[in-house]
Amino acid sequence: CQCYHFSVSRAGFVLAGGKSSRMGRDKALLPFRGGALAGYAAATVAAAAGSVILIGDPQKYGHLGYTVLPDRKPGAGPVGGIESALSYTAADWNLVLACDMPGISAEFLRGLMDAAERAGADALAPAGPSGRLEPLCAVYHRRCRETLGRALEAGVRKVTDALAGLEVARLAVDDAACFENLNTPEEWARYYDR
């Protein structure tokens, strides 16, 4: 019997390049647990994936202590951020998290990566009770890059639309509270006061 030992490579990315227009200030730099929200997200992703890179403006986020690479298509929204991550990566499986989901744990993200490798699809995204996919807390195989690049060129800005034509596995999650993202000062105040 011949045994083959190989490891599937993993990488983690945090998207920090958004406009934060409804928040009125940069969400990535909101104070959270002794640091910035994006720094907390980066530490969580690094614990789950073994590495982390922020996608955003290196001048804005370089002081957080993590590698920051620029969004290759600024202004293209999260599709552009994910495409940038997949352009930079050398790993097969890439965990992508928006910087404004403070309820996510490293344990959950590790489970997400394990599930993605087992599913063998192009991408894996969790879905809460509503059935709505959470593409900004998902795992993408680097082979998704071409499809996302074509979607960007066609002007597609909604992540779920950009994934059309790819096999996206879903992981059912009972409680969608961990995916709560912070878009307005009111949402931030509710979360911050907990």
Side-chain angles (χ1 to χ4, degrees):
C1 164
Q2 283 186 310
C3 295
Y4 296 96
H5 297 281
F6 63 103
S7 64
V8 177
S9 56
R10 296 178 169 191
F13 295 87
V14 171
L15 304 184
K19 289 192 172 73
S20 305
S21 49
R22 286 182 286 169
M23 184 65 74
R25 58 183 175 147
D26 191 343
K27 289 191 285 190
L29 297 178
L30 288 171
F32 189 71
R33 297 194 181 170
L37 189 56
Y40 177 78
T44 305
V45 166
S51 70
V52 68
I53 290 173
L54 273 71
I55 301 294
D57 183 341
Q59 291 191 320
K60 257 193 203 174
Y61 307 118
H63 71 281
L64 296 176
Y66 297 95
T67 299
V68 184
L69 295 176
D71 198 326
R72 288 166 21 97
K73 295 187 172 61
V79 176
I82 298 167
E83 193 272 344
S84 294
L86 297 179
S87 297
Y88 291 130
T89 191
D92 289 336
W93 294 103
N94 299 278
L95 173 63
V96 175
L97 182 69
C99 70
D100 63 346
M101 290 188 186
I104 292 290
S105 71
E107 182 183 19
F108 175 80
L109 295 176
R110 261 193 301 274
L112 204 60
M113 296 202 82
D114 292 344
E117 289 178 8
R118 284 194 304 272
D122 296 314
L124 178 133
S130 70
R132 191 172 69 90
L133 286 177
E134 297 289 346
L136 299 184
C137 174
V139 182
Y140 296 88
H141 194 281
R142 65 178 170 176
R143 65 178 166 258
C144 296
R145 189 186 72 76
E146 284 183 27
T147 299
L148 290 172
R150 283 194 298 271
L152 279 173
E153 285 171 20
V156 175
R157 294 295 177 261
K158 189 175 176 192
V159 180
T160 47
D161 292 346
L163 296 174
L166 292 171
E167 185 187 348
V168 181
R170 58 177 58 221
L171 179 71
V173 178
D174 295 335
D175 181 8
C178 64
F179 305 120
E180 182 181 3
N181 60 347
L182 309 173
N183 290 311
T184 66
E186 292 75 26
E187 288 171 353
W188 171 241
R190 271 204 310 275
Y191 203 93
Y192 198 64
D193 291 343
R194 282 184 196 165

Short mmCIF file of all heavy atoms in Angstrom, two decimals, residues 2-7:
data_model
loop_
_atom_site.label_atom_id
_atom_site.label_comp_id
_atom_site.label_asym_id
_atom_site.label_seq_id
_atom_site.Cartn_x
_atom_site.Cartn_y
_atom_site.Cartn_z
N GLN A 2 0.65 2.11 -0.94
CA GLN A 2 1.39 3.37 -0.96
C GLN A 2 0.54 4.45 -0.32
O GLN A 2 -0.65 4.57 -0.60
CB GLN A 2 1.71 3.78 -2.39
CG GLN A 2 2.86 2.98 -2.99
CD GLN A 2 3.20 3.56 -4.34
OE1 GLN A 2 2.34 3.76 -5.18
NE2 GLN A 2 4.50 3.81 -4.55
N CYS A 3 1.15 5.20 0.56
CA CYS A 3 0.43 6.28 1.20
C CYS A 3 0.99 7.61 0.70
O CYS A 3 2.20 7.77 0.58
CB CYS A 3 0.59 6.22 2.72
SG CYS A 3 -0.18 4.75 3.41
N TYR A 4 0.11 8.50 0.42
CA TYR A 4 0.53 9.83 -0.02
C TYR A 4 0.15 10.84 1.05
O TYR A 4 -0.98 10.87 1.49
CB TYR A 4 -0.16 10.20 -1.34
CG TYR A 4 0.25 9.30 -2.47
CD1 TYR A 4 -0.53 8.21 -2.81
CD2 TYR A 4 1.42 9.53 -3.17
CE1 TYR A 4 -0.15 7.36 -3.84
CE2 TYR A 4 1.81 8.70 -4.20
CZ TYR A 4 1.02 7.61 -4.53
OH TYR A 4 1.40 6.79 -5.54
N HIS A 5 1.12 11.60 1.45
CA HIS A 5 0.87 12.64 2.45
C HIS A 5 1.00 13.99 1.76
O HIS A 5 2.02 14.28 1.15
CB HIS A 5 1.88 12.56 3.60
CG HIS A 5 1.76 11.28 4.36
ND1 HIS A 5 0.79 11.05 5.30
CD2 HIS A 5 2.49 10.14 4.29
CE1 HIS A 5 0.92 9.84 5.79
NE2 HIS A 5 1.95 9.26 5.20
N PHE A 6 -0.04 14.76 1.84
CA PHE A 6 0.04 16.09 1.27
C PHE A 6 -0.85 17.01 2.09
O PHE A 6 -1.79 16.58 2.71
CB PHE A 6 -0.38 16.10 -0.20
CG PHE A 6 -1.81 15.71 -0.42
CD1 PHE A 6 -2.77 16.65 -0.67
CD2 PHE A 6 -2.20 14.39 -0.35
CE1 PHE A 6 -4.09 16.30 -0.85
CE2 PHE A 6 -3.53 14.01 -0.52
CZ PHE A 6 -4.46 14.97 -0.78
N SER A 7 -0.48 18.26 2.09
CA SER A 7 -1.31 19.21 2.84
C SER A 7 -1.92 20.18 1.84
O SER A 7 -1.29 20.58 0.87
CB SER A 7 -0.48 19.96 3.86
OG SER A 7 0.49 20.74 3.21
#
